[in-house]
Amino acid sequence: MKTLIKNGTVVNATGTATADVLVDGETIAAVLAPGSTLLGFDLEANVDTVIDAAGKYVIPGGIDAHTHMELPFGGTAASDTFETGTRAAAWGGTTTIVDFAVQRYGERVQDGLAAWHEKAAGNCAIDYGFHQIIGGVDKDALAAMDGLVDEGITSFKLFMAYPGVFYSDDAQILRAMQKSADLGLLTMMHAENGPAIDVLVEQLVAEGKTDPYFHGVARAWQMEEEATHRAIMIANLTGAPLYIVHVSAKQAVAQIAAARDQGQNVFGETCPQYLYLSLEDQLGASSDEWGGFEGAKWVCSTPLRSREEGHQHHMWRSLRTNDIQMVSTDHCPFCMKGQKELGLGDFSKIPNGIGGVEHRMDLIYQGVVTGELTLERWVEVTSTTPARMFGMYGKKGVIQPGADADLVVYDPNGHTSIGVGKTHHMNMDHSAWEGFEIDGHVDTVLSRGRVIVDETGYVGRKGDGAFVKRGLSQYLI
Ligand code: DUC
Ligand code: ZN
Ligand code: ZN
């Protein structure tokens, strides 16, 4: 199967050019000047499919390196399966996800990983890899980490939050980071001071402050800054490469930037919700005092931050200056009905998470429209850097001969409405992004050479996606 995407504006992290992209089977065969022949062959006459991308961008497929399909959490489970979640991702121009396999205290790491393979295999619309959550750092878990690289799992996540669930104390973090330094595994950190937050939660609930808004009050920025600093210091001591997930506080960005300025291998990811949404939005979610329960749709951790304090503005700036290197979604959807509702009358029982895997490419493209990011930086923070960070670059994250033909034709003159009601494809009964009007539209999506989204909608099949065995992070020396 040969496909020619002709006359598009090809955008890589390194630059933009008008070019034709020739796809042969699952890979990109050539990137050529428009209308070129190849060894005398008229390309258009010799391919199976021609896609005219004149006036449109051709970009490497999005890579969302932080998703939680089917995650058991908060007394329920994330509502997207690998099937529904990866299909929604495809609709939005994301062609690879990296999800989190889970090991809990007392469980074997190998079993946790096997369970995630079982959930995903044969069900995904797009390619997928795994990070490993180590929720119980003990002797066996530390020993099991030795085998992860061979499995293509080159990053693992620890939590400084959620005592009694995924939490690691400083001693456990130290031991796991020593492994990380030895093996070249990237340590991913959920950096919030969980034990201190739990005291604040208890006090707020005892005072009758039970609305979703107080979730963000309890998870104060000081708790994020402190944990980020502590993680950086333990990483500094051990030599572990460190990646802070879902950074939302400008003070946490400052900690990351300072460590990077000192030459430490520390990286940071933010998410669309921390660029666009705020604590004030949650407060104004309805006319009820404190915004009422409507604000539950924005309960996630780290929480939304105050716009008055300027976190969102600072986060865009950090993306521009490379103090923050990439954008993932932390896609962790829960329906209002039957799931978020578990926290009616007590915000601490609202399952934490926002669904967004479908909207990341569009939402970050708005940064190009508003002048926050260049076109190339859009591609870099949503595709190229995730590929490099998580050992997939060359195959993913770039339009070049030999790369997987994961490609998106994006129409800058198109429009995408995230309306009230179900205009999205995630398995949720609401959207955190309701009311957002997007300048731009995902027209066509190819996953390893196959068109899976076209003008008629999703045309792929369950099971198209394959497991990606990842190499070590390409940012490590
Ligand atoms: N944060 C969320 O919002 N959901 C899942 C886990 C997490 O850390
Ligand atoms: Zn987290
Ligand atoms: Zn997460």
Side-chain angles (χ1 to χ4, degrees), residues 107-118:
E107 292 173 0
R108 293 174 73 241
V109 171
Q110 297 90 332
D111 293 345
L113 180 56
W116 250 255
H117 273 296
E118 184 116 335

Side-chain angles (χ1 to χ4, degrees), residues 373-400:
L373 303 177
T374 64
L375 207 48
E376 292 82 3
R377 185 68 177 158
W378 169 48
V379 166
E380 189 164 31
V381 300
T382 55
S383 179
T384 309
T385 298
R388 288 197 172 122
M389 190 69 69
F390 294 110
M392 297 180 277
Y393 185 74
K395 280 286 188 199
K396 310 282 189 197
V398 61
I399 298 179
Q400 68 179 14

Side-chain angles (χ1 to χ4, degrees), residues 441-461:
H441 187 260
V442 171
D443 272 13
T444 309
V445 180
L446 282 78
S447 166
R448 275 182 290 107
R450 283 186 314 274
V451 174
I452 58 169
V453 174
D454 66 14
E455 67 285 354
T456 66
Y458 177 70
V459 293
R461 287 159 314 181

Side-chain angles (χ1 to χ4, degrees), residues 66 68 100 157 246 330:
H66 189 154
H68 297 287
F100 287 84
K157 183 179 180 189
H246 49 53
D330 196 7

Side-chain angles (χ1 to χ4, degrees), residues 66 68 73 100 133 157-159 161-162 166 189-192 245-246 269 274 301-302 330:
H66 189 154
H68 297 287
F73 193 65
F100 287 84
I133 286 176
K157 183 179 180 189
L158 302 177
F159 290 78
Y162 306 129
F166 293 131
M189 189 62 80
H190 178 130
E192 286 185 295
V245 296
H246 49 53
E269 147 204 286
Y274 309 124
S301 296
T302 56
D330 196 7

